[in-house]
Amino acid sequence: MTREERCQLAIKRGFSYDAETGDIFNRYGKKSKPNKSNGYHEMCITVNKKSFKIQGHQFAWYYEYRDCVAELDHINGLRHDNRICNLRPVTHQQNSWNRANIVTGK
């Protein structure tokens, strides 16, 4: 299942997103919190007893633009900040460069 298909299914099953706050809500309307030790949101949907994971920032981007991009950068470096104004599509090289600069403080 592609990332786009996973995002479409999550929307169909009732997951939602608030672009202003960056909050992601499960199908019961409950706000999800970052659940990965590295600070990212990760969603899980099940189809025919098989689980598929979706990164929260990828879901947020798809929810707003109905488009999947290969990589997204959290502009302020905060992985839990999924406000749409804090996300931008980047190449793998740009994302690696951004991570390196955040670590070194440049």
Side-chain angles (χ1 to χ4, degrees):
M1 182 176 283
T2 68
R3 180 183 300 145
E4 183 172 5
E5 291 169 332
R6 286 179 266 167
C7 288
Q8 289 170 349
L9 184 59
I11 291 169
K12 185 176 179 180
R13 293 202 175 164
F15 286 82
S16 62
Y17 166 71
D18 182 326
E20 190 175 316
T21 64
D23 293 333
I24 297 169
F25 301 92
N26 67 19
R27 61 185 174 168
Y28 305 109
K30 185 177 178 187
K31 184 171 110 174
S32 70
K33 296 180 182 178
N35 55 351
K36 299 288 289 177
S37 61
N38 59 10
Y40 287 110
H41 279 87
E42 188 173 77
M43 304 160 52
C44 188
I45 57 172
T46 305
V47 179
N48 297 327
K49 298 182 182 180
K50 185 171 182 182
S51 294
F52 296 94
K53 296 182 188 226
I54 307 169
Q55 292 180 323
H57 56 287
Q58 288 284 354
F59 175 75
W61 190 265
Y62 185 84
Y63 193 89
E64 283 299 302
Y65 299 113
R66 296 303 193 261
D67 183 39
C68 286
V69 294
E71 293 202 32
L72 289 169
D73 177 42
H74 289 84
I75 297 167
N76 65 8
L78 301 175
R79 295 171 174 173
H80 65 277
D81 185 354
N82 290 320
R83 292 173 299 139
I84 205 68
C85 66
N86 187 47
L87 300 175
R88 64 180 168 198
V90 293
T91 64
H92 182 69
Q93 184 178 17
Q94 289 169 319
N95 210 15
S96 296
W97 185 82
N98 290 338
R99 273 191 299 261
N101 285 336
I102 288 170
V103 170
T104 61
K106 292 184 180 177

